[in-house]
Amino acid sequence: MSASWILSANSWMHTPTGFEAGANNQYHPLNWLDIIFNPSFPYRLLHMVTAAYLTTAFVVGGVAAWYLRKQRHLHHAKIMLGMAMIMAIFVAPIQIFLGDLHGLNTLQHQPRKVAAIEALWETQRGAALTFFALPNVDQEKNNYAIEIPKLGSLILTHRWDGEVKGLKEWPKAERPPVTAVFFAFRIMVGIGLLMVLTGVFAIILNVRKRLFETKWFQSWCMMMTPMGFIAVLSGWMVTEMGRQPFVVYDLLRTSEAISPVLGENVLLSLISFVLVYAFVFGAGIYYILKLIKEGPKVTEKEEKHLYGEHGVQHPVLLSDVFKGLKNGRGVHA
Ligand code: HEM
């Protein structure tokens, strides 16, 4: 519920609907349903909530891999890794699909953002997909570009010769900061592909019955632990820097939205925020790391319930984890 409201408010600033402009450029609501369910809201909600689940799954998977490497809490670690891999196999590809839909919606409502994402300067039919480049904002071109012809149009318009608008369509003062948006997008998508690759590795190792034993895969999962957070931050950089120089797309410039508040007051509240958050996050991270270090505590009674009377039977395959989840126990005993 909380994600819905905050994302609805945020999405309205990207794709404003359901209002009228009154005197003094003040906007008045006309239809609250149009405001809440504005065009980018469903895509942003699905993409962000899925991002949060994936981020969590990769943290759980990373901790599990660390336990397996240390030969601690083996039983729980296998279930944790199994559940994380079920997410990587099924949910990471869904996230790419949702990202694609989100991008199509952005192209429709915020074409300048997409031009910055692609560092596309000229309006083109059959636009190339730029894997890597150093956007040169002064000369309005890309240096050292590595491109695949026509793929950009195919992904963005789902047609080989679809037209994609370039940044030169808009005056310089209306363009987002291209370089940051371009790279942030590639980091997010790159991590999405690594998440899918993790799922592919998991399927192959599962077929070989080596999912819970393979050392390099444990290192890989440990390396993937913070990736969800990095993807989420990069995604938000794309979204928020990509709408610049507007705070409400095409209606209110960021420079016009500045409140008449003294710089000193802003600095003071910023310092307070930094201090409070440093404390809250610091305490939270300390506590989470402590919990991870201790690992799960299981009483004798719980152990019997989890593992059955005849001793521990570790999961070997992902299907064991599935069955264990289905019958409400830690494992198929
Ligand atoms: C791999 C394929 C992906 C594609 C094609 C994709 C596409 C997009 C697009 C186009 C936006 C900007 C939308 C806008 O501002 O209008 C965006 C934002 C975002 N992305 Fe992705 N994304 C992908 C993967 C991921 C992954 C793996 C995560 C995190 C686990 C993620 C998290 C986010 C977040 C948090 C935002 C900002 C909120 C939002 O606008 O939805 N994305 N993504």
Side-chain angles (χ1 to χ4, degrees), residues 210-252:
R210 303 268 316 144
L211 180 61
F212 301 113
E213 274 81 40
T214 308
K215 287 259 177 322
W216 68 260
F217 189 62
Q218 290 162 6
S219 309
W220 173 275
C221 288
M222 277 147 66
M223 181 275 293
M224 288 298 290
T225 311
M227 289 301 174
F229 296 104
I230 301 173
V232 166
L233 288 173
S234 309
W236 277 112
M237 280 174 76
V238 174
T239 297
E240 301 304 340
M241 294 175 102
R243 76 168 147 173
Q244 298 308 318
F246 291 95
V247 73
V248 181
Y249 204 67
D250 277 343
L251 295 177
L252 184 71

Side-chain angles (χ1 to χ4, degrees), residues 252-264:
L252 184 71
R253 280 176 176 270
T254 309
S255 54
E256 292 163 341
I258 293 172
S259 331
V261 180
L262 281 180
E264 290 80 15

Side-chain angles (χ1 to χ4, degrees), residues 58 88-89 91-94 96 191-202 224:
F58 276 86
I89 293 166
V91 183
I94 293 177
I96 293 192
I191 292 176
L193 295 176
L194 288 181
M195 287 176 166
V196 173
L197 188 63
T198 309
V200 173
F201 287 153
M224 288 298 290

Side-chain angles (χ1 to χ4, degrees), residues 318-329 331-332:
L318 275 178
S319 51
D320 299 335
V321 177
F322 262 126
K323 282 179 206 154
L325 292 177
K326 213 171 84 189
N327 65 20
R329 302 166 112 201
V331 70
H332 160 64

Side-chain angles (χ1 to χ4, degrees), residues 64-238:
W66 184 65
Y67 286 154
L68 289 174
R69 172 60 59 86
K70 296 255 163 202
Q71 291 288 301
R72 288 172 57 200
H73 316 296
L74 287 183
H75 186 83
H76 290 83
K78 289 179 183 181
I79 296 168
M80 285 163 69
L81 188 72
M83 288 177 73
M85 290 310 112
I86 290 168
M87 292 289 285
I89 293 166
F90 293 104
V91 183
I94 293 177
Q95 179 70 327
I96 293 192
F97 173 68
L98 291 173
D100 180 51
L101 292 182
H102 200 2
L104 294 180
N105 181 265
T106 311
L107 183 67
Q108 194 184 344
H109 296 281
Q110 297 181 299
R112 282 197 299 277
K113 188 187 274 181
V114 173
I117 284 174
E118 297 302 331
L120 190 70
W121 298 95
E122 310 282 348
T123 298
Q124 283 174 33
R125 289 194 165 276
L129 179 82
T130 309
F131 264 121
F132 176 83
L134 291 181
N136 185 332
V137 179
D138 292 333
Q139 294 178 16
E140 302 184 317
K141 62 174 193 156
N142 294 333
N143 296 335
Y144 311 108
I146 303 174
E147 299 174 335
I148 299 188
K150 295 197 186 280
L151 197 60
S153 279
L154 185 71
I155 292 175
L156 287 167
T157 63
H158 290 190
R159 281 186 295 122
W160 288 107
D161 63 344
E163 187 183 271
V164 188
K165 288 219 170 357
L167 287 157
K168 287 188 185 173
E169 291 278 332
W170 296 277
K172 282 190 175 172
E174 283 183 16
R175 296 179 197 164
V178 181
T179 311
V181 174
F182 176 83
F183 280 112
F185 184 79
R186 271 143 196 78
I187 293 172
M188 172 185 67
V189 171
I191 292 176
L193 295 176
L194 288 181
M195 287 176 166
V196 173
L197 188 63
T198 309
V200 173
F201 287 153
I203 293 174
I204 296 172
L205 291 173
N206 190 50
V207 170
R208 295 186 179 165
K209 299 196 169 119
R210 303 268 316 144
L211 180 61
F212 301 113
E213 274 81 40
T214 308
K215 287 259 177 322
W216 68 260
F217 189 62
Q218 290 162 6
S219 309
W220 173 275
C221 288
M222 277 147 66
M223 181 275 293
M224 288 298 290
T225 311
M227 289 301 174
F229 296 104
I230 301 173
V232 166
L233 288 173
S234 309
W236 277 112
M237 280 174 76
V238 174

Side-chain angles (χ1 to χ4, degrees), residues 278-323:
F279 176 73
V280 172
F281 278 119
I285 288 171
Y286 170 79
Y287 185 61
I288 287 175
L289 289 180
K290 196 166 124 85
L291 285 182
I292 291 174
K293 215 169 142 212
E294 279 171 15
K297 285 202 194 76
V298 188
T299 64
E300 214 173 305
K301 197 171 150 221
E302 284 164 342
E303 196 155 315
K304 270 197 187 136
H305 172 72
L306 277 172
Y307 313 145
E309 304 286 340
H310 310 293
V312 177
Q313 215 178 324
H314 291 308
V316 179
L317 294 170
L318 275 178
S319 51
D320 299 335
V321 177
F322 262 126
K323 282 179 206 154

